[in-house]
């Protein structure tokens, strides 16, 4: 599911959330984004909750998502609705 979010009365898409079913009981939210001008106004929470509702409608009993460790605002949002840190993944890069 790709779900753009149009702010009430704004006439502009302020963010998006993508969901996918991982198996019969689990789903994933990734990515979720809100345009910078609209951040910290509740749109991220609204998108997150909409994504979770979509996963639940498809039978998911649990959800997972990924977030950069530096994105403390997103981590706070996710934890505020009940997400818990499961693991930390290290990404490696090589300049070519």
């Amino acid at each position: 599911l790709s779900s753009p979010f149009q702010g009430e009365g704004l006439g502009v898409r302020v963010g998006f959330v993508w969901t996918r079913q991982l198996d019969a009981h689990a789903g994933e939210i990734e990515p979720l984004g809100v345009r910078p001008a609209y951040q910290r106004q509740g749109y991220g929470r609204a998108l997150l909750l909409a994504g979770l509702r979509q996963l639940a409608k498809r039978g998911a009993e649990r959800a997972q998502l990924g977030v950069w460790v530096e994105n403390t605002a997103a981590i706070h949002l996710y934890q505020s609705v009940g997400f818990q840190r499961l693991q930390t993944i290290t990404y490696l890069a090589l300049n070519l």
Side-chain angles (χ1 to χ4, degrees):
L1 167 75
S2 172
S3 179
F5 186 76
Q6 196 158 325
E8 288 184 34
L10 295 176
V12 64
R13 289 186 177 164
V14 299
F16 63 92
V17 61
W18 289 359
T19 62
R20 71 182 180 119
Q21 201 73 26
L22 298 173
D23 60 35
H25 304 287
E28 179 177 53
I29 294 178
E30 180 123 5
L32 183 155
V34 176
R35 288 184 175 183
Y38 299 98
Q39 292 176 355
R40 301 192 192 286
Q41 298 178 46
Y43 295 114
R45 179 175 300 276
L47 284 165
L48 176 60
L49 295 176
L52 291 171
R53 282 191 300 272
Q54 285 297 318
L55 290 173
K57 282 182 185 178
R58 288 183 271 166
E61 298 169 357
R62 63 185 177 282
Q64 68 183 44
L65 51 77
V67 61
W68 295 105
V69 69
E70 301 89 8
N71 195 344
T72 56
I75 291 170
H76 177 73
L77 169 63
Y78 301 146
Q79 289 177 333
S80 77
V81 299
F83 281 92
Q84 298 176 6
R85 185 180 308 260
L86 181 61
Q87 64 182 326
T88 300
I89 299 171
T90 301
Y91 288 91
L92 304 177
L94 171 66
N95 292 329
L96 302 177

